[in-house]
């Protein structure tokens, strides 16, 4: 974890998607949110903002077809109406792709914007939304410094052996085609918190963290640094996810185009939106729904769960190559923090790593509780650790801007 700034202060954290905007005002000293919400269906016929303040949930309807700029203007009014503007010291933006240029969080200026634009060629949908969020926030919060925090930055410590694809080297040299990894703020945060929980020095510890939400990735963390991770050039590579397929044979592209006449856009849609838990179960991308259906006897839901766990266990086992020894396996994200079924299935397959599941602790670990789920006689531990990416973004923004 970064060190805490001296004074109590609040940071507005923005996370822009192509048609959504997640926001929260975070107290940097506690990590608690003062207000949090989501603007959805931006640019659509019925956009809205839903937010939670002092335990109360409110929905505001926005005018039809209004997008990010209007949502941020409405957010400014909301912040002023609740007298939350005086405590704000900065705006922190979650930026999905930082390419190779950004290895840490930065104060946003015109050079940084140019760098984000450059990296956006690698992830156009996310990059465009992030840039839109930054320009709208700059227009609406003229007096506040803005900081970019990159999902890729934590993984910039990977060695070229881990980050290169076995493609013609020129594609890397000329166009930056390589593995970047994502969920960096989350892997960084849970590793730091786990080191504290286990009273281990982070600079002398080996962790594997599994961030399992709608998007899923695993990261091998040696002495506090990412040495390998399962997502790649884009967040599609690696594990089975809610609607994403993860690893597949690239030969599939040829089959889909020549035999089934798929366009590039249709393939992208198939792999990103229609695959994963949803594709296999033909039911849902939501883990809870799949678990309920599997318990009720739905065989495709059971298959989806089993594939999810098998692929995850295989990826975790593979990271014993760079790590050699493991202090703890960390579960985080909506699934990792709540699903005793998934954790149990994965750990059963990984018993050879010396992790013995404590079944009761596994059942008890949910609803944002951190704790050990391995039995005392384990040689490597298993931990559930709630993530808090917004806090990392807020801390970075507060630290970078405190001397301004
Ligand atoms: P996230 O993207 O981190 O918000 O995680 C979303 C995923 O977490 C969805 O697949 C949810 O079904 C899953 N999830 C949330 N709560 C539970 C739960 N109690 N049991 C199983 N999965 C859950």
């Amino acid at each position: 974890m970064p060190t805490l700034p001296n004074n109590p202060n609040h940071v507005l954290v923005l996370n822009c998607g192509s048609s959504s905007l997640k926001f929260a005002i975070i107290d940097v000293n506690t990590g608690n949110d003062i207000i949090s919400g989501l603007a959805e269906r931006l640019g659509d016929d019925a956009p809205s903002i839903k937010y939670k303040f002092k335990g109360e949930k409110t929905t505001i309807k926005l005018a039809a077809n209004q997008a990010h700029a209007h949502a941020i203007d409405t957010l400014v009014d909301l912040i002023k109406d609740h007298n939350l503007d005086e405590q704000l010291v900065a705006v922190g933006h979650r930026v999905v792709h930082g390419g190779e240029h950004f290895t840490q969080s930065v104060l946003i200026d015109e050079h940084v914007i140019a760098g984000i634009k450059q990296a956006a060629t690698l992830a156009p949908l996310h990059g465009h939304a992030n840039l839109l969020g930054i320009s709208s926030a700059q227009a609406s919060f003229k007096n506040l410094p803005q900081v970019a925090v990159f999902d890729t930055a934590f993984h910039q410590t990977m060695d070229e052996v881990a980050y290169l694809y076995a493609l013609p080297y020129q594609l890397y040299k000329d166009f930056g085609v390589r593995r970047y990894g994502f969920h960096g703020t989350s892997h960084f945060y849970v590793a730091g918190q786990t080191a504290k929980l286990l009273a281990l020095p982070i600079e002398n510890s080996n962790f594997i963290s599994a961030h399992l939400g709608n998007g899923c990735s695993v990261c091998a963390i040696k002495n506090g640094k990412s040495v390998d991770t399962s997502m790649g050039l884009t967040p599609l590579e690696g594990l089975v996810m809610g609607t994403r397929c993860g690893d597949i044979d690239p030969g599939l592209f040829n089959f889909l185009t020549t035999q089934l006449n798929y366009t590039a856009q249709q393939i992208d849609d198939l792999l990103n939106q229609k695959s994963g838990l949803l594709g296999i179960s033909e039911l849902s991308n939501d883990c809870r729904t799949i678990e309920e259906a599997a318990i009720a006897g739905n065989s495709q839901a059971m298959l989806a769960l089993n594939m999810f766990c098998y692929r995850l266990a295989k990826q975790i086992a593979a990271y014993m190559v760079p790590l050699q020894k493991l202090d703890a396996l960390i579960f985080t994200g909506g699934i990792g923090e709540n699903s005793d079924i998934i954790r149990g299935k994965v750990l059963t397959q990984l018993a050879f790593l010396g992790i013995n599941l404590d079944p009761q602790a596994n059942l008890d670990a949910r609803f944002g509780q951190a704790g050990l789920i391995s039995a005392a006689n384990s040689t490597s531990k298993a931990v559930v650790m709630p993530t808090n990416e917004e806090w990392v973004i807020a801390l970075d923004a507060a630290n970078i801007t405190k001397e301004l």
Side-chain angles (χ1 to χ4, degrees):
M1 292 289 297
T3 51
L4 288 169
N6 295 326
N7 300 317
N9 41 33
H10 296 170
V11 170
L12 173 64
V13 175
L14 297 179
N15 180 358
C16 274
S18 52
S19 63
S20 68
L21 164 64
K22 246 174 108 176
F23 61 89
I25 292 182
I26 303 290
D27 179 333
V28 294
N29 291 322
T30 63
N32 294 334
D33 52 25
I34 311 297
I35 185 170
S36 64
L38 175 70
E40 289 181 287
R41 305 186 65 181
L42 298 175
D44 196 343
D45 54 355
S48 65
I49 296 187
K50 293 189 180 104
Y51 70 94
K52 199 164 113 191
F53 180 59
K54 293 191 173 164
E56 202 174 307
K57 291 182 181 169
T58 310
T59 302
I60 305 173
K61 286 190 177 152
L62 301 177
N65 305 320
Q66 292 290 349
H68 296 75
H70 183 62
I72 290 184
D73 278 349
T74 311
L75 181 57
V76 175
D77 293 341
L78 201 63
I79 289 170
K80 287 191 176 145
D81 289 350
H82 291 303
N83 295 320
L84 299 173
D85 46 330
E86 281 159 26
Q87 288 265 31
L88 281 181
V89 293
V91 181
H93 294 266
R94 177 185 183 217
V95 179
V96 171
H97 219 306
E100 284 191 322
H101 190 68
F102 297 108
T103 57
Q104 56 190 24
S105 306
V106 287
L107 185 67
I108 297 177
D109 61 16
E110 67 207 58
H111 301 292
V112 169
I113 302 256
I116 296 174
K117 273 191 187 141
Q118 173 69 29
T121 57
L122 299 165
L125 273 183
H126 286 119
H128 179 68
N130 293 152
L131 286 162
L132 210 59
I134 291 170
S135 62
S136 302
Q138 282 176 324
S140 295
F141 298 96
K142 289 195 175 66
N143 299 324
L144 287 180
Q146 318 254 338
V147 168
V149 180
F150 301 92
D151 246 22
T152 47
F154 180 58
H155 303 299
Q156 280 297 305
T157 46
M158 284 195 290
D159 187 82
E160 60 186 353
V161 166
Y163 72 66
L164 283 177
Y165 291 115
L167 289 167
Y169 195 69
Q170 207 66 26
L171 273 175
Y172 165 61
K173 290 292 280 179
D174 291 352
F175 302 104
V177 173
R178 53 159 280 185
R179 310 182 61 254
Y180 289 92
F182 299 86
H183 290 146
T185 48
S186 178
H187 291 301
F188 164 75
Y189 175 78
V190 296
Q193 295 299 102
T194 300
K196 277 188 197 158
L197 179 79
L198 302 179
L200 285 171
I202 185 81
E203 61 285 356
N204 187 18
S205 58
N206 285 5
F207 297 135
I208 296 174
S209 100
H211 178 110
L212 310 174
N214 278 320
C216 301
S217 71
V218 192
C219 183
I221 304 164
K222 192 171 181 59
N223 304 333
K225 294 192 163 59
S226 169
V227 292
D228 207 344
T229 192
S230 58
M231 285 177 168
L233 176 72
T234 75
L236 183 56
E237 189 177 335
L239 304 174
V240 175
M241 309 183 210
T243 59
R244 288 173 240 166
C245 59
D247 293 340
I248 46 156
D249 180 349
L252 175 70
F253 288 79
N254 191 34
F255 174 78
L256 290 175
T257 49
T258 60
Q259 303 297 313
L260 303 182
N261 294 323
Y262 271 62
T263 63
Q265 185 55 48
Q266 284 171 323
I267 294 178
D268 200 55
D269 196 41
L270 178 89
L271 304 182
N272 277 292
Q273 311 291 345
K274 297 181 178 156
S275 300
L277 291 177
L278 173 67
I280 296 296
S281 70
E282 296 185 307
L283 186 68
S284 173
N285 64 318
D286 191 290
C287 185
R288 274 165 298 198
T289 310
I290 308 256
E291 286 184 358
E292 281 160 22
I295 290 166
N298 180 317
S299 59
Q300 268 176 255
M302 182 56 85
L303 175 63
L305 278 187
N306 286 341
M307 282 177 68
F308 183 95
C309 295
Y310 174 66
R311 291 263 296 269
L312 174 56
K314 251 192 353 177
Q315 188 68 68
I316 290 166
Y319 286 159
M320 292 312 291
V321 174
L323 294 184
Q324 297 290 312
K325 99 176 199 334
L326 181 66
D327 290 309
L329 170 61
I330 309 164
F331 289 94
T332 194
I335 297 173
E337 291 168 32
N338 292 295
S339 174
D340 54 282
I341 296 180
I342 299 256
R343 293 188 305 244
K345 278 178 179 287
V346 171
L347 287 177
T348 305
Q349 293 174 79
L350 291 172
F352 67 92
L353 291 181
I355 309 174
N356 298 320
L357 183 67
D358 177 336
Q360 192 57 46
N362 186 35
L363 273 177
D364 292 344
R366 49 175 60 215
F367 308 128
Q369 295 282 337
L372 266 183
I373 58 167
S374 50
N377 63 353
S378 303
T379 48
S380 299
K381 296 182 166 57
V383 168
V384 174
M385 183 55 68
T387 193
N388 192 341
E389 293 163 277
E390 285 80 11
W391 194 13
V392 177
I393 295 170
L395 277 164
D396 272 8
N399 275 315
I400 286 172
T401 56
K402 72 180 169 189
E403 304 298 344
L404 295 178

